[in-house]
Amino acid sequence: MKTVGFIGWRGMVGSVLINRMIKKKDFDGINAIFFTTSQHGGTIPLNIKNKCRILQDAYNIEILSSLDIIITCQGSEYTNKIYFQLRKKGWNGYWIDAASNLRTLIDSVIVLDPINLNLIKKKINMGIKTFVGGNCTVSLMLMSLGGLFKYNLVDWISVSTYQAASGAGSKFMKELIIQMGYIYNHISHLINDASVSIIDIERKISTLMNNTNFPKKNFLAPLVNNLIPWIDKKINNGQTKEEWKGTFETNKILNTNTIIPIDGICVRVATLRSHSQSFTIKLKKDLSTDNITEILNSHNKWVKIIPNNYSDTINLLTPSSVSGTLSLSVGRIKKLNIDKNCFSIFAVGDQLLWGASEPLRRMLKLLI
Ligand code: HSE
């Protein structure tokens, strides 16, 4: 039985991973050891039948070196501090990581097995030991549009994202809820007051949002009643790093010979958990909407095609309808009046499941 160390399992992505693993009984097949960066010596607060109930020190290189597999959702800083030390010391175990910093290594694989299982297997056979989950919008796009990539139909993609606060982290989610409450608490007495017009209420809300007391320590701007068309650092060509990842990570996952260009604008919206993306896709050939629908639908069992009508769209093609599930809702599939090979597709998926923890869980399963 493989000994697997879990780091960062208490955070948001880590806890979603652990809950999935409990649900799928994945702990039955491993000897799990839980690590902590701050409370070693304590006992694990999880109801898992494993031998070692004592929390181990996540900075203890000796203990880490004894593991067959390390799976970390602790973040880039931890990875930078520990990964290279361990490898330098000769540790030859498997490292599975949710953080982004190892994705650019030559000898790492970005894992999304419904898309690149053959590449993952090939790399395991070649002795590669570092496997990293992809960026959430990239993984969700590939899972939603998998069929188009499988048959090499994509010429290019332009995308606008609608990314939930969860992608930024738990304190950002909390701040969004605090912002919602802040506005409501300040104006609720006016909503049913017939003498106050909606424009007066809207002006009052705008004033509140521009006030220095408005709670925005993390986002640095209001997200509620607003949006932020910027995610992550600026890079030299005017893109943000989140936008840059579209082409780099997609092509690394697909192991393409010719680069498929994917670019657009990544936008944070006032959604708590699931990410949405609006794609303009130029195909390499003229296919009918029915053809495309069939190709998308038959690629994997998680794709749920949402018929292009009002009622299904507002009920099923939304963050609130997919949050907490593995479903990838794919809809608004239509030919654009721009070019016969251009299509629009709108897709929604859970950022914490397919967008973060599920590819890691499945990679662990592959190794054990
Ligand atoms: N960078 C993403 C976001 C998180 O900010 O939404 C998923 O990788």
Side-chain angles (χ1 to χ4, degrees):
M1 208 182 254
K2 294 265 192 292
T3 302
V4 183
F6 290 81
I7 330 271
W9 49 276
R10 258 190 279 234
M12 201 164 42
V13 172
S15 57
V16 172
L17 171 73
I18 298 297
N19 284 335
R20 277 285 293 159
M21 288 187 64
I22 292 171
K23 189 168 173 204
K24 300 293 281 181
K25 300 195 181 344
D26 294 334
F27 284 105
D28 293 354
I30 58 173
N31 175 27
I33 300 189
F34 290 85
F35 286 79
T36 167
T37 52
S38 55
Q39 294 167 352
H40 56 94
T43 48
I44 64 161
L46 295 170
N47 188 19
I48 297 169
K49 290 182 277 156
N50 61 325
K51 294 167 198 81
C52 179
R53 300 207 63 83
I54 305 292
L55 286 170
Q56 304 294 322
D57 178 4
Y59 295 110
N60 185 324
I61 297 290
E62 294 307 317
I63 303 178
L64 293 171
S65 298
S66 68
L67 302 170
D68 298 309
I69 301 172
I70 291 172
I71 181 159
T72 170
C73 302
Q74 183 71 29
S76 296
E77 206 180 308
Y78 177 81
T79 297
N80 277 341
K81 206 173 262 174
I82 296 298
Y83 174 82
F84 297 100
Q85 265 191 69
L86 268 176
R87 289 288 189 231
K88 210 161 149 195
K89 205 173 173 287
W91 179 69
N92 203 21
Y94 291 99
W95 178 277
I96 305 175
D97 204 331
S100 62
N101 43 343
L102 302 181
R103 290 181 199 147
T104 48
L105 291 187
I106 299 270
D107 52 1
S108 73
V109 179
I110 304 179
V111 293
L112 190 61
D113 68 277
I115 301 293
N116 67 349
L117 180 62
N118 289 341
L119 179 69
I120 294 171
K121 285 183 173 166
K122 187 172 135 195
K123 296 287 182 173
I124 292 173
N125 290 336
M126 284 164 66
I128 296 293
K129 301 278 174 117
T130 304
F131 297 92
V132 192
N135 170 263
C136 46
T137 49
V138 170
S139 298
L140 292 169
M141 175 195 67
L142 283 167
M143 290 298 295
S144 305
L145 308 182
L148 300 181
F149 290 104
K150 180 173 172 192
Y151 297 109
N152 193 19
L153 290 167
V154 178
D155 190 358
W156 52 255
I157 297 181
S158 166
V159 57
S160 278
T161 69
Y162 304 77
Q163 294 179 231
S166 59
S170 58
K171 56 182 196 240
F172 290 81
M173 292 174 81
K174 284 186 184 160
E175 187 167 273
L176 173 58
I177 299 167
I178 290 167
Q179 291 184 356
M180 292 170 180
Y182 187 89
I183 289 183
Y184 185 75
N185 291 338
H186 280 81
I187 57 88
S188 61
H189 62 289
L190 302 175
I191 295 175
N192 294 319
D193 182 340
S195 69
V196 182
S197 81
I198 189 63
I199 293 300
D200 292 336
I201 297 175
E202 184 277 323
R203 282 292 88 206
K204 190 164 169 48
I205 291 173
S206 290
T207 307
L208 283 170
M209 288 168 62
N210 288 320
N211 190 309
T212 47
N213 293 332
F214 193 81
K216 55 180 187 193
K217 197 169 128 239
N218 296 299
F219 283 115
L220 307 176
L223 184 62
V224 69
N225 189 35
N226 207 12
L227 55 78
I228 303 174
W230 190 283
I231 296 179
D232 210 341
K233 298 192 268 281
K234 183 175 188 191
I235 59 170
N236 292 338
N237 59 0
Q239 284 178 308
T240 65
K241 186 127 190 244
E242 189 80 353
E243 290 151 7
W244 172 83
K245 288 172 182 173
T247 294
F248 172 76
E249 292 193 17
T250 302
N251 285 280
K252 179 158 176 169
I253 291 170
L254 295 170
N255 197 26
T256 49
N257 293 322
T258 313
I259 296 292
I260 303 170
I262 296 164
D263 203 351
I265 294 187
C266 291
V267 184
R268 186 76 66 204
V269 294
T271 299
L272 279 176
R273 181 160 175 169
S274 292
H275 284 4
S276 310
Q277 302 188 68
S278 175
F279 302 105
T280 297
I281 304 171
K282 171 94 186 282
L283 295 180
K284 290 181 180 165
K285 52 178 158 177
D286 180 10
L287 294 178
S288 70
T289 309
D290 286 349
N291 279 159
I292 289 174
T293 303
E294 175 50 29
I295 288 168
L296 295 171
N297 199 29
S298 58
H299 179 266
N300 67 68
K301 65 179 183 195
W302 300 280
V303 165
K304 305 274 177 276
I305 300 292
I306 310 304
N308 188 20
N309 64 52
Y310 175 69
S311 167
D312 287 315
T313 299
I314 67 164
N315 289 305
L316 303 171
L317 192 59
T318 59
S320 65
S321 66
V322 304
S323 283
T325 78
L326 290 166
S327 295
L328 300 147
S329 285
V330 181
R332 302 306 326 273
I333 306 171
K334 62 190 167 75
K335 221 175 239 275
L336 291 171
N337 288 329
I338 294 174
D339 182 290
K340 64 180 175 21
N341 290 3
C342 275
F343 269 80
S344 70
I345 297 181
F346 195 89
V348 192
D350 189 313
Q351 184 266 326
L352 295 172
L353 287 164
W354 276 119
S357 60
E358 191 64 6
L360 304 183
R361 186 188 75 80
R362 293 171 63 94
M363 184 63 219
L364 180 61
K365 290 282 283 182
L366 268 176
L367 293 174
I368 61 180

